[in-house]
Amino acid sequence: EDKVVQSPLSLVVHEGDTVTLNCSYEVTNFRSLLWYKQEKKAPTFLFMLTSSGIEKKSGRLSSILDKKELFSILNITATQTGDSAIYLCAVPGRANSKLTFGKGITLSVRP
Amino acid sequence: NAGVTQTPKFQVLKTGQSMTLQCAQDMNHEYMSWYRQDPGMGLRLIHYSVGAGITDQGEVPNGYNVSRSTTEDFPLRLLSAAPSQTSVYFCAVRAPSYEQYFGPGTRLTVT
């Protein structure tokens, strides 16, 4: 059965700090790994990673995948209070629609 | 272009009542899913569909039914509501690239 484990489960930092969020996975027939940000409502898509070692970047957020060690990290530099959210990692399984999600990392950024 | 819409946004049911959560998309994608999200449990897949007329069970299907008569609509039925079904429900549409788009969610309380 596909498995996604995220760590830490929660994190409190101060504005300006840099954070690293971890996601490890076990999946048959790996296709991609996806990161989402969830504030008060529905998750919104951040990144999709398919290749090892290639960093995806969007502003202060970046993510990289290691297919050999089966993990991904999401980095946020110069954190702001607006970065406070749950960050979800997911991998598609063998069945077409099945995304397996981790339990999420709750990030709180204090002023 | 509304993307993924869900109705209602909030619902309170008494134990034993039935109801249907509606989900509609205008993205013309084949793959649709229903998730529930509970504190500390992450997103769990209830049912999914790979196209009109085809549905399958996810991780937590008991107490729920789905049907998919059109590409656009994927309703989720609660047959006899139980307090354990109190949750936030998200409908999602998956693009061929595996990027998944979520509806705004339905917050359901069963008393």
Side-chain angles (χ1 to χ4, degrees):
Chain A
E1 189 173 312
D2 300 335
K3 191 174 171 185
V4 177
V5 177
Q6 293 187 251
S7 64
L9 289 182
S10 65
L11 194 54
V12 180
V13 300
H14 288 98
E15 274 192 315
D17 288 350
T18 293
V19 298
T20 298
L21 311 181
N22 301 295
C23 175
S24 64
Y25 62 90
E26 294 173 25
V27 62
T28 308
N29 193 19
F30 177 85
R31 294 186 185 87
S32 60
L33 184 143
L34 299 98
W35 282 98
Y36 289 84
K37 177 182 181 182
Q38 185 177 23
E39 297 175 85
K40 299 204 175 187
K41 295 187 177 177
T44 54
F45 174 78
L46 290 175
F47 298 112
M48 183 169 71
L49 304 157
T50 55
S51 302
S52 268
I54 298 175
E55 185 182 57
K56 293 261 179 124
K57 202 167 168 62
S58 175
R60 295 175 294 102
L61 276 67
S62 63
S63 185
I64 199 159
L65 176 69
D66 185 330
K67 285 164 76 172
K68 184 179 173 191
E69 300 297 330
L70 307 183
F71 76 92
S72 173
I73 59 172
L74 175 68
N75 276 324
I76 309 175
T77 58
T79 51
Q80 302 171 356
T81 54
D83 296 326
S84 296
I86 299 172
Y87 290 85
L88 296 158
C89 168
V91 292
R94 280 190 296 177
N96 287 327
S97 276
K98 287 181 73 171
L99 269 185
T100 299
F101 281 86
K103 293 190 176 176
I105 298 171
T106 300
L107 174 66
S108 299
V109 182
R110 300 272 165 85
Chain B
N1 187 343
V4 185
T5 57
Q6 285 184 240
T7 55
K9 290 186 180 171
F10 301 95
Q11 182 71 50
V12 179
L13 291 178
K14 292 189 185 324
T15 297
Q17 287 185 313
S18 62
M19 78 158 294
T20 299
L21 307 185
Q22 301 290 347
C23 174
Q25 57 131 337
D26 62 3
M27 307 169 83
N28 202 32
H29 291 319
E30 296 291 337
Y31 308 126
M32 298 183 75
S33 309
W34 275 103
Y35 294 87
R36 61 177 287 175
Q37 187 174 37
D38 304 289
M41 304 292 288
L43 283 160
R44 293 183 292 169
L45 182 66
I46 306 171
H47 285 285
Y48 65 97
S49 169
V50 299
I54 307 169
T55 64
D56 206 346
Q57 295 181 350
E59 189 184 345
V60 287
N62 292 340
Y64 308 94
N65 269 358
V66 291
S67 59
R68 184 94 179 273
S69 54
T70 66
T71 299
E72 292 76 24
D73 300 297
F74 190 40
L76 177 73
R77 293 183 197 82
L78 278 72
L79 308 171
S80 176
S84 60
Q85 294 179 304
T86 293
S87 188
V88 180
Y89 292 84
F90 289 103
C91 176
V93 173
R94 204 208 82 198
S97 58
Y98 292 96
E99 203 171 309
Q100 189 145 269
Y101 301 94
F102 289 84
T106 295
R107 186 173 292 275
L108 175 69
T109 302
V110 183
T111 60

